[in-house]
């Protein structure tokens, strides 16, 4: 137990080395976890299972280009699932745009910045493996999702079905309930498998059941907000395609964190945001809309403006070509420019390499937290991502977050009961709120160690300085005992 305490202090940089005490990332248990074969169930994994993906030089450069680390290098940021610290090129792109806009005016600056405003379409098309005209820029991921869903809702009739995941996000599920009130569509939850992820075989079975109503939509959250689970988007897409059912994927937490290719997945719509793992601005999102699906089904959102359609005659309008029909004229133009810079930055870093490092760090964290008494890790999934959720027995998640913040470790809390209600109701004893530490490629092993040590301090329920002093005292006592034992052995010899 003392050795485990010392290891946490060693990683946190508050104790001298005691050989041989390897860091968690090189321990036998951890190496077995990290180097196990990558599961075929993942929708997005690359073929190379090596760790950790990015070199030390690349990680240090990314941190040096992140103002949050330059201005306050002692703070460890673990909230990329909420709002990730942006790199300097993203911040500079927005500030430069705003500076020009302040001098020239909004319309004039937009006219002069056509190249920068086109950039997010090109970079997202590269990242997602689609065409530029299949990308729409929106005010948020939620607005992107709602635009896509509203275009499909026009096809719903009473008794039809919408199939959704158990880990569905609250905003999406509220929209399902509203659609059910308006159209009489039935919302059906797809069963989960033993790992907690969407069961593709169960999806196939329910779509094959002729006794049930016609399925109009399969709508899935790729990565839920309150867990490290990654749903098998590719397997789900194959089943949806087999049955000819439109497929909407909420990729808010996955785009930027892991490789996502819309053609491999087979989705008809995909939504995402700038502020999370893409490390972009808040208040901006995007929608992928498969061109052939939009054209074949003549899909248009419930409401369009003069940007998404043209007023042809007094009584007629014409939707814009491609995904542009899902856009509205007014967005934050500075944020749009920042989004382009953020996606370009992610493409330059390499999403696949970043994903391998993120998984490596997240698994390091899970292994370390499981070694701390009364800390419970709650993540599900055969494949797990950079989101790590846990609770500390006897301590409120909000108090844990505050204690970690005092130690310079920024995490967040996630309300499972509200955000993913079906997951909360899945099993008795599921916590209402969890601590959420969302790891990204710019985090380091030292920061992981600080988080683990701080979580141990939260468990003890004492001031972190007192905890550190206590552990140092125990460590000193251990050294004295070890020296005494060694001296006794020498006398016997």
């Amino acid at each position: 137990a003392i050795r485990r305490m010392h290891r946490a202090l060693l990683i946190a940089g508050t104790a001298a080395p005691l050989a041989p005490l390897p860091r968690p990332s090189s321990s036998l248990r951890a190496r077995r976890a990290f180097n196990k074969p990558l599961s075929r169930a993942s929708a997005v994994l690359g073929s190379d299972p090596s760790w950790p993906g990015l070199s030390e030089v690349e990680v240090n450069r990314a941190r040096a280009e992140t103002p949050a680390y330059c201005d306050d290098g002692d703070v460890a940021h673990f909230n990329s699932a909420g709002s990730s610290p942006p790199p300097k090129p993203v911040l500079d792109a927005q500030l430069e745009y705003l500076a020009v806009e302040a001098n020239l005016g909004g319309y004039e600056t937009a006219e002069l910045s056509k190249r920068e405003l086109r950039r997010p379409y090109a970079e997202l098309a590269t990242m997602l493996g689609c065409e530029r005209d299949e990308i729409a820029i929106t005010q948020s991921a939620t607005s992107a999702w709602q635009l896509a869903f509203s275009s499909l809702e026009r096809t719903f009739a009473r008794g039809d079905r919408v199939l959704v995941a158990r880990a569905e996000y609250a905003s999406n599920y509220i929209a399902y309930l509203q659609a059910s009130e308006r159209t009489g569509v039935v919302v059906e939850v797809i069963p989960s498998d033993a790992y907690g992820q969407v069961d593709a075989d169960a999806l196939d079975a329910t779509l094959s059941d002729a006794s049930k109503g016609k399925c109009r939509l399969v709508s899935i959250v790729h990565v839920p907000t309150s867990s490290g689970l990654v749903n098998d988007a590719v397997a789900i897409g194959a089943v949806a395609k087999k049955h000819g059912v439109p497929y909407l994927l909420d990729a808010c937490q996955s785009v930027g964190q892991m490789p996502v290719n819309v053609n491999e997945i087979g989705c008809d719509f995909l939504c995402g945001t700038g502020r999370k793992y893409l490390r972009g601005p808040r208040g901006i999102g995007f929608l992928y809309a498969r061109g052939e699906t939009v054209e074949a089904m003549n899909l248009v959102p419930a409401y369009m403006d003069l940007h998404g359609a043209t007023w042809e005659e007094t009584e007629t309008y014409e939707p814009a070509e491609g995904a542009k029909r899902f856009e509205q004229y007014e967005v934050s133009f500075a944020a749009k420019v920042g989004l382009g810079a953020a996606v370009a930055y992610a493409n330059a870093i390499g999403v696949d390499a970043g994903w391998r490092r993120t998984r490596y760090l997240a698994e390091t964290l899970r292994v370390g937290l499981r070694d701390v008494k009364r800390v419970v890790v709650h993540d599900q999934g055969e494949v797990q991502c950079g989101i790590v959720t846990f609770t500390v027995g006897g301590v409120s998640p909000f108090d844990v977050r505050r204690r970690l913040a005092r130690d310079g470790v920024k995490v967040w809390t996630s309300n499972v009961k509200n955000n993913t209600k079906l997951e909360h109701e899945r099993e008795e004893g599921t916590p209402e709120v969890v601590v959420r530490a969302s790891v990204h490629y710019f985090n380091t092993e030292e920061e992981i160690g600080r988080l683990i040590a701080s979580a141990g301090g939260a468990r003890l329920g004492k001031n972190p300085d007192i905890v550190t002093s206590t552990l140092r005292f125990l460590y000193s006592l251990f050294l004295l005992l070890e020296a005494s034992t060694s001296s006794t052995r020498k006398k016997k010899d």
Side-chain angles (χ1 to χ4, degrees), residues 15 22 61 79 84 106 124 202 248 250 274 302 326 351 371 394 398 454 461 474:
R61 184 171 66 242
N79 191 24
S84 189
L124 282 166
L248 168 58
D250 183 340
F326 294 96
V351 178
D371 278 343
F398 304 104
S454 187
L474 290 172

Side-chain angles (χ1 to χ4, degrees), residues 51-75:
W51 304 95
L54 293 174
S55 69
E56 184 177 357
V57 172
E58 290 171 313
V59 173
N60 287 339
R61 184 171 66 242
R63 290 171 67 86
E65 292 174 341
T66 302
Y69 280 108
C70 298
D71 296 339
D72 192 353
D74 292 333
V75 175

Side-chain angles (χ1 to χ4, degrees), residues 167-181:
E168 188 57 85
Y169 187 54
S171 295
N172 301 353
Y173 209 90
I174 290 169
Y176 302 143
L177 296 177
Q178 289 182 302
S180 180
E181 291 175 347

